[in-house]
Amino acid sequence: MMRSRLMVFGGFFLAALLSSPAWGSIPPQPGTVNQVTPVPPQPGTVNYVEGQAASGGRALSANSVGSVKLGPGQTISTENGRVEILLTPGIFLRVADRSAVQMVSPGLADTIVALQRGRAMVEVDQIRPENNVRISVRGVSTQLLKAGLYDFDADRGLIRVFDGEALVQSPGQNIQLKRGHEISLNAAGKWKSAKFDEKASMDDFYRWSSLRSSYLAEANIDAARSYTGVYGWAPGWYGWGWYWDPWFGAFTFIPGDGIFWGPFGWGFYSPWYAFAAPYFGWGYWGHGFYHHFGPDYHPPAAFHAGRSLASVGHAYSVRGMAGVRSGFGGGGFYGGGFHGGGGGGRGR
């Protein structure tokens, strides 16, 4: 009887999956046929819209997700609303209320955005050495160097690094900006890096960004598990990048190997590491930590820096997949990935 019920449920679930937008594809737009070929979105693709926002004189809505892509010189502005924009895989740009951003260069090698007014926050879960990701504020260019969390305020003239490392550049000045430090563009003379109060700076926009990150982490597990065949149907896997999750109505990031802990503490899993989610590590075998995403969740100290949501954590990765592909040994669950000593480093 139980087996019969499971077969019925499995058939229903498979049918639901097949009738949904394809995993990894750009979502179909009204009046079009569902796309089935994976087409990764380009930098500048809108991933979430909340409230009042516009681009090119046209209001943005939920239908804009995946279809609106900023080309060179194009702008998105908000009033009483917020927008999430994809940059290179693993990097999310979030635009606050009463703000405007312009896409200067949407290339994968050179991804450059100008914050014209208001505020924006950039979450970097993975960045590659060949990526040149820059945010311009008042003509001052900031290159993001490491995984982390970066805050830009054009109105107040502030550039802050909650986590990670950045290079602030202007004619005659190059300043390395590290975690917990800021630069005020209003300062006279040579700019200086100064510490700022991280806790006091965790305002509503910060918390909203953390919530968006947690939703995308849940979407990551949902999408990544599908590529292991755990749902009875597995679409084609084309490596690290952006993947569409129909249940969350957004693109999420799936790394090609291991786990990437973002700066807010949420994990982004590659497919085989997501196989046993919501458990991770030795939890696959029944006695690990329960991986729960929600407003009060933070990873245990063994996998995170031991910080709660009252303070920002470090973005870092856990890697080592060879053994997972060959039976959960070697460099995977019992090797360098979780039980071994070489699982990965912070700030990658």
Side-chain angles (χ1 to χ4, degrees), residues 57-79:
R58 300 180 62 180
L60 300 180
S61 67
N63 289 332
S64 304
V65 173
S67 63
V68 173
K69 308 173 188 66
L70 294 180
Q74 293 184 323
T75 301
I76 281 182
S77 60
T78 63
E79 292 305 325

Side-chain angles (χ1 to χ4, degrees), residues 85-211:
I85 301 170
L86 305 178
L87 297 183
T88 61
I91 303 181
F92 303 87
L93 169 68
R94 299 189 177 102
V95 185
D97 307 75
R98 293 171 289 281
S99 303
V101 295
Q102 181 185 56
M103 177 59 72
V104 178
S105 171
L108 281 172
D110 293 293
T111 311
I112 305 172
V113 177
L115 177 62
Q116 297 178 323
R117 62 180 172 89
R119 187 176 169 200
M121 191 169 282
V122 183
E123 174 184 345
V124 180
D125 298 312
Q126 181 180 14
I127 189 167
R128 298 192 168 208
E130 58 269 25
N131 289 137
N132 177 32
V133 180
R134 295 176 179 267
I135 308 297
S136 175
V137 180
R138 297 188 183 182
V140 176
S141 176
T142 301
Q143 183 181 9
L144 310 184
L145 302 177
K146 294 183 178 181
L149 183 65
Y150 304 87
D151 193 10
F152 302 88
D153 193 325
D155 296 344
R156 298 170 61 198
L158 288 176
I159 300 173
R160 287 175 167 170
V161 176
F162 279 94
D163 184 34
E165 187 175 339
L167 179 63
V168 182
Q169 298 176 300
S170 71
Q173 297 192 75
N174 289 315
I175 299 178
Q176 209 83 4
L177 201 57
K178 297 187 177 182
R179 174 188 172 140
H181 287 74
E182 68 179 12
I183 285 179
S184 173
L185 302 180
N186 297 322
K190 290 280 187 179
W191 298 324
K192 292 183 179 180
S193 171
K195 289 185 177 181
F196 71 94
D197 189 334
E198 294 181 50
K199 280 191 176 182
S201 303
M202 294 177 186
D203 57 7
D204 179 66
F205 183 51
Y206 177 97
R207 292 189 294 271
W208 178 82
S209 295
S210 177
L211 187 61

